[in-house]
Amino acid sequence: MRPTWLICAREFRAYFLTPLGYGLVAALLCLHGLYFNVTLLQGEHSSYEVVQGYFFQSSGFVAAVAVLVTMRAFAEERQTGTAMLLLTAPLPEWQLVLGKFLGAFGFLCVYIALSAYMPLLIMVNGAVTPGHLVAGYVGLLALGAVVTAIGTLTSALSNSQLLAAVLAASIVALLFACWVVAGAVQGVLGEAIAYLDLMLSHYLSFSRGVIKLSTLVYYASLVYLALLAASVALRLRRWGA
Amino acid sequence: MSASRGRVVAPWLPTALAFVALGGVLLAERLLPRGALAQINLIVAGGTAVLALAMAGVQLRHAPRGRRQAQGVRVGALALVGAGVGLFIAAGWAHELRAADTRALLLAAAIGASFCGAVTALALELSVRQQRHAPQVDAQRTLQASGLGFTLSLGLVALVLINFGANRLDRRVDMSYAAPTAPSEATLALLRSSARPIEFVLFFEKQSPVLAQLRDYFEALEAAGASLYVADQALEFDLAKRLDVNRNGTVSLIGGERHESWSIGEDFELARRRLVNLDTAVRERLAQLTREQRTVYLTHEHGERPDRAARDGEPDAAAQFGQIIRSLNNKVLYLSPARLGREVPRDADLVVIHGPSQRFLPHEVASLRAYVSGGGALLLLLDPDADHGLEPLLATLGLAPLPGVLAHEREFFRDTQTLADRGFIFSTDFTTHPSVRTLNDVRRRAALMFRRAGALERLPDTRAKTTFVARTRARTFLDTDQDWAHDEHERSGLFNIAAAVELAQSDAPATRALVVADSDVLDDKLLTSEPNLQFALDALLWLLRDEQQGAAEVAAPEHVPIRHTRDRDLLWFYGSTFLAPLSVLLLGLGMTRWQRRRKPS
């Protein structure tokens, strides 16, 4: 596992080597704060509603950060010409993928931690149960892990960062919109598609303060599948190389 | 010779045939209507799968030594696909036999087997195709590719099974306090006590976000024994008409021949408020369907709380309490002095005397004493400084009020910011009596609020079984001179504020009476507090002899509105929108500059 941690640490540090990483976090925090103020703090709302709304809208920002952060994971290596070094390194593919994933996920955790002042403001000016916050953050981290894994996969598949980001955003949007598709499909297939939905079928429970085992298992499955597929994609690239 | 015979058919043809067989199954299962055509299609699909397997077998037999392993993998993959198709056909027979569980099991196995087989075969064919220009197919690479396909597909099937299991297990940790994610104990108790089967029908479009909010709650009710059905009003018109539902966004509750429907709405923003009170709404409707209607009489024209409000031209301060009584499927009637003077009506299941400020006449008191002595039920809410003339009735119940108003110099709620707030006390000390059962269960979280309450004591030599159900905090004092300060001559310590009394009867059920030395405890203002609301529910259920139905779990009193002030809102806006991001940006600039300076050294 040592190479995995080395790759993870290198990736994590790379985000903070230039002001770009900080700029990305600051810009998204600014948008997040603005959206939070405009949509949730206008008019009379109970603390519970505001916290629920906060976690619901945070899911979109966390997904955006995850997509933007992971697009560079492998695609940048290809663009800068360091991919060959990576592919010929005497490491199994899964260690490379896991290292890149953990580095990006660490950065995402920093973003999530930095945005915590918003629910803390609600705590000061209203009243919320810590349990609700815990459940919400578990959900945000789980959803962030899923999107990060999908971003890692698309980055492993693409040659350009932009294409990786567009691909990841499309897959995530598709998983966010499964509920709509499920409405048009009857029977078991409709239920299966509804189950695939990331948001309404699964994430909504977290934003309401409920941690469901089925949701955690589903998210973990998606992370595993995406990382496995990324490993396979890397292996295929190695064969091609 | 053998090699040339092996090449009579293209190597990929068996795999293509297997995919055709799978397409036939899909056609029969999903697109064709059930019947002869679908059956024929399934049989043809089965035949095609067998043919594909046979062709692959022949190819294996004639394959040269270097290709045998890869050909063996192909046979194995196609055997899996064939097994999947066979299981699909068997599932169709199970459907004919109406063996639902067997069919589900067979279908799951069929999907798993055919998926793994198809992906493995596809990976193998793709690998072979990639090497089509090579002088010889690299067997090792082909095996690796098919192995990868099999591992991926098997992993996916395993994940689907794990997800299915987790979903069926339905374990959850509920950390919300106001969301309708789970029914309260009271609602569950009502459901379980129902003699009729209860069914919930949710009229919503499938993709409705409001339905997504409701699912957890109603699935928990389903797990507790109710039936649950989600229907689209536009598609299930007959059902909707039978339940008097004319639009989506409606919840219907069916209990035997009776049903109740109420609208929540499909617009999430509009439905939000109703969703918060979902459990109360469900409990009220359940009570309407499951409980027999009782009659509750409220005395009036003795300066009771509702009378006082009407006289002063104010809204009824006890309206919510009346609503709570009605929500438990009780009929509320007023008991006039003239009627009370004769006797308490025989159909009275409960008589409520809510904070009288004028004297009851002796023959009215006599009627009440006769009612109580005959096994009736009475809720008596008395203010300590009121001249109500009900002391003889209290004596019948083995109780006497102590002179003075209870106050505490340190532990009280601030309201008017005057010394009088010291009379705004609370209790967190409850007994295990059913009338305060839920409060006792959550006593560390629940504070029952009283305003200007009095104290009660038990009379000596009484035959009544008295339980003091709520006591004050330590160092509460009985303020007799109304200066809200603890003087030396005033008693201090623990006092009893509420008492549950039972009087055994030889030929009737025991009398039940609940006496509270404060009428504000159940007025509209204090009933906004969850523990007071809980007390009202528990007390009513005990008095009406329905205590086994329990009451709702008290939510933590943290569901409060966000308080807004102009200054605070400005601070929030600039702080959260600009200050925090700017801090991150400055930190970033500082850190990167520091790192650059460090590098040369």
Side-chain angles (χ1 to χ4, degrees):
Chain A
M1 283 298 280
R2 192 173 153 73
T4 306
W5 289 117
L6 283 174
I7 295 168
C8 166
R10 175 184 164 273
E11 279 293 306
F12 185 72
R13 270 201 305 270
Y15 292 114
F16 297 103
L17 281 177
T18 63
L20 199 68
Y22 294 96
L24 176 73
V25 171
L28 282 162
L29 274 181
C30 179
L31 276 177
H32 198 165
L34 194 67
Y35 196 60
F36 173 68
N37 271 281
V38 170
T39 57
L40 295 174
L41 295 182
Q42 304 299 315
E44 283 293 319
H45 293 291
S46 69
S47 322
Y48 170 79
E49 289 170 328
V50 178
V51 174
Q52 186 179 350
Y54 166 75
F55 283 119
F56 192 77
Q57 62 174 228
S58 293
S59 61
F61 284 94
V62 164
V65 174
V67 167
L68 291 174
V69 163
T70 49
M71 67 181 188
R72 58 181 288 278
F74 291 102
E76 191 189 43
E77 304 262 9
R78 251 170 248 131
Q79 283 183 333
T80 54
T82 51
M84 190 58 78
L85 278 175
L86 198 71
L87 291 176
T88 51
L91 289 173
E93 295 83 9
W94 68 266
Q95 286 197 349
L96 286 172
V97 169
L98 195 61
K100 292 273 184 186
F101 166 77
L102 288 176
F105 186 62
F107 182 81
L108 189 74
C109 291
V110 170
Y111 174 79
I112 291 173
L114 284 172
S115 66
Y117 64 86
M118 285 180 252
L120 291 180
L121 275 175
I122 305 168
M123 215 167 193
V124 172
N125 290 281
V128 290
T129 48
H132 193 178
L133 294 184
V134 168
Y137 274 108
V138 168
L140 269 187
L141 289 172
L143 184 76
V146 171
V147 181
T148 308
I150 290 170
T152 309
L153 167 65
T154 57
S155 188
L157 288 172
S158 325
N159 287 323
S160 107
Q161 293 190 50
L162 185 66
L163 183 64
V166 170
L167 260 178
S170 307
I171 294 172
V172 173
L174 198 70
L175 286 172
F176 272 34
C178 277
W179 191 259
V180 181
V181 182
V185 182
Q186 299 293 321
V188 183
L189 191 61
E191 283 174 28
I193 295 173
Y195 187 79
L196 293 179
D197 187 280
L198 275 183
M199 289 300 289
L200 288 179
S201 297
H202 294 285
Y203 180 76
L204 205 64
S205 299
F206 288 116
S207 70
R208 294 158 67 204
V210 181
I211 298 175
K212 285 164 96 171
L213 176 70
S214 56
T215 298
L216 288 178
V217 167
Y218 174 60
Y219 281 4
S221 307
L222 282 183
V223 171
Y224 175 74
L225 266 184
L227 296 185
L228 186 67
S231 303
V232 171
L234 268 196
R235 181 179 292 186
L236 292 176
R237 287 213 177 247
R238 272 186 167 171
W239 288 354
Chain B
M1 174 68 186
S2 61
S4 64
R5 280 176 65 188
R7 283 182 184 278
V8 169
V9 290
W12 50 264
L13 193 62
T15 307
L17 277 177
F19 275 89
V20 168
L22 282 178
V25 169
L26 188 71
L27 197 70
E29 276 288 315
R30 303 294 313 173
L31 300 175
L32 293 176
R34 291 205 179 280
L37 191 62
Q39 287 289 342
I40 292 168
N41 215 318
L42 267 182
I43 292 165
V44 171
T48 313
V50 171
L51 180 66
L53 191 59
M55 283 169 74
V58 171
Q59 282 180 340
L60 173 65
R61 202 173 157 199
H62 297 288
R65 187 178 294 274
R67 286 189 190 172
R68 283 215 158 184
Q69 263 186 317
Q71 191 59 38
V73 170
R74 183 179 278 142
V75 170
L78 296 188
L80 264 179
V81 174
V85 173
L87 287 167
F88 268 120
I89 295 169
W93 289 337
H95 181 76
E96 298 299 324
L97 297 172
R98 297 181 188 282
D101 287 347
T102 313
R103 177 178 152 77
L105 203 66
L106 288 172
L107 267 180
I111 293 170
S114 43
F115 180 73
C116 286
V119 172
T120 310
L122 193 66
L124 185 134
E125 299 302 344
L126 284 175
S127 171
V128 171
R129 187 173 160 69
Q130 272 190 340
Q131 302 173 57
R132 63 188 181 279
H133 300 304
Q136 195 172 353
V137 173
D138 181 352
Q140 195 59 31
R141 191 165 163 178
T142 311
L143 282 175
Q144 272 192 349
S146 50
L148 202 63
F150 184 70
T151 311
L152 265 178
S153 56
L154 197 66
L156 198 66
V157 169
L159 286 180
V160 169
L161 286 177
I162 290 169
N163 273 274
F164 180 75
N167 210 28
R168 286 290 290 266
L169 202 60
D170 195 26
R171 288 283 157 83
R172 60 184 72 188
V173 182
D174 190 345
M175 299 202 213
S176 68
Y177 52 84
T181 50
S184 64
E185 280 304 315
T187 308
L188 289 174
L190 274 173
L191 180 68
R192 290 186 193 116
S193 68
S194 170
R196 308 183 184 103
I198 297 292
E199 184 179 0
F200 291 95
V201 184
L202 309 180
F203 287 97
F204 285 90
E205 285 180 19
K206 265 189 171 180
Q207 67 272 31
S208 164
V210 180
L211 177 64
Q213 293 268 344
L214 292 173
R215 271 190 188 276
D216 289 338
Y217 179 86
F218 282 100
E219 280 172 6
L221 282 173
E222 189 183 23
S227 302
L228 178 62
Y229 183 60
V230 180
D232 190 323
Q233 185 266 340
L235 298 176
E236 310 240 12
F237 191 71
D238 290 340
L239 176 66
K241 195 175 171 188
R242 184 164 68 82
L243 297 173
D244 305 321
V245 173
N246 52 20
R247 60 178 173 177
N248 273 329
T250 306
V251 176
S252 290
L253 173 55
I254 308 167
E257 295 300 308
R258 297 161 67 185
H259 65 263
E260 286 272 333
S261 298
W262 73 101
S263 174
I264 288 178
E266 283 225 283
D267 184 296
F268 182 69
E269 288 306 317
L270 294 177
R272 199 190 283 264
R273 299 271 168 197
R274 290 178 195 150
L275 287 173
V276 173
N277 298 317
L278 178 69
D279 188 58
T280 310
V282 171
R283 190 173 61 241
E284 284 178 12
R285 266 79 179 190
L286 261 177
Q288 304 277 343
L289 288 189
T290 56
R291 299 178 79 253
E292 293 304 319
Q293 194 174 53
R294 313 282 176 82
T295 306
V296 176
Y297 280 94
L298 304 181
T299 61
H300 78 137
E301 294 186 23
H302 305 92
E304 284 90 345
R305 297 295 301 224
D307 289 352
R308 267 186 271 167
R311 186 189 60 205
D312 300 339
E314 292 170 3
D316 183 356
Q320 201 185 339
F321 183 51
Q323 185 57 38
I324 292 168
I325 298 173
R326 287 185 194 91
S327 76
L328 294 169
N329 200 24
N330 299 307
K331 187 166 62 178
V332 176
L333 297 173
Y334 286 96
L335 186 55
S336 68
R339 180 75 201 273
L340 179 61
R342 291 199 298 276
E343 64 170 353
V344 173
R346 290 182 188 281
D347 65 341
D349 292 299
L350 172 67
V351 172
V352 178
I353 304 175
H354 194 174
S357 56
Q358 293 165 16
R359 289 187 74 82
F360 279 68
L361 295 173
H363 57 281
E364 292 170 350
V365 179
S367 289
L368 286 167
R369 290 180 71 183
Y371 168 70
V372 164
S373 303
L378 179 72
L379 176 59
L380 199 49
L381 303 156
L382 300 173
D383 288 318
D385 44 5
D387 181 19
H388 42 63
L390 290 172
E391 289 77 10
L393 180 62
L394 281 173
T396 307
L397 297 170
L399 293 166
L402 292 173
V405 176
L406 293 171
H408 202 292
E409 289 191 317
R410 294 167 63 90
E411 296 178 350
F412 57 87
F413 287 102
R414 293 188 191 281
D415 184 26
T416 60
Q417 305 297 330
T418 62
L419 275 180
D421 283 347
R422 292 180 175 182
F424 196 178
I425 58 170
F426 60 93
S427 170
T428 53
D429 188 4
F430 311 102
T431 63
T432 54
H433 193 270
S435 62
V436 285
R437 193 199 69 173
T438 316
L439 291 178
N440 183 52
D441 288 347
V442 290
R443 61 185 145 193
R444 267 176 284 179
R445 286 192 289 142
L448 183 61
M449 297 156 84
F450 301 91
R451 192 193 284 272
R452 291 182 63 86
L456 297 168
E457 68 175 359
R458 186 189 281 116
L459 288 174
D461 304 327
T462 177
R463 72 178 183 90
K465 182 187 165 195
T466 308
T467 310
F468 289 109
V469 294
R471 290 199 303 183
T472 62
R473 307 278 293 170
R475 290 191 285 280
T476 301
F477 64 95
L478 203 51
D479 186 28
T480 50
D481 52 10
Q482 305 237 350
D483 63 352
W484 303 113
H486 183 210
D487 304 318
E488 274 190 13
H489 65 275
E490 289 170 342
R491 274 177 62 183
S492 120
L494 291 166
F495 294 92
N496 299 306
I497 311 179
V501 182
E502 286 181 84
L503 282 169
Q505 306 294 330
S506 55
D507 53 351
T511 298
R512 287 188 174 188
L514 190 72
V515 182
V516 187
D518 178 29
S519 71
D520 296 272
V521 69
L522 297 182
D523 77 356
D524 281 4
K525 194 167 182 185
L526 295 196
L527 275 175
T528 55
S529 159
E530 285 280 353
N532 286 54
L533 177 64
Q534 198 57 61
F535 175 59
L537 282 166
D538 275 336
L540 283 170
L541 288 171
W542 177 69
L543 287 166
L544 290 163
R545 303 172 205 279
D546 283 334
E547 67 270 25
Q548 73 281 1
Q549 293 191 345
E553 187 182 333
V554 176
E558 287 153 318
H559 179 53
V560 300
I562 297 282
R563 293 181 292 275
H564 289 275
T565 63
R566 190 179 166 78
D567 291 344
R568 186 181 283 163
D569 283 354
L570 270 180
L571 188 70
W572 278 36
F573 181 78
Y574 287 111
S576 58
T577 311
F578 299 110
L579 190 64
L582 200 64
S583 312
V584 173
L585 203 59
L586 290 176
L587 177 77
L589 287 173
M591 287 289 284
T592 45
R593 281 191 69 178
W594 178 70
Q595 278 168 345
R596 275 183 205 150
R597 276 186 195 166
R598 258 185 62 188
K599 256 187 183 170
S601 65

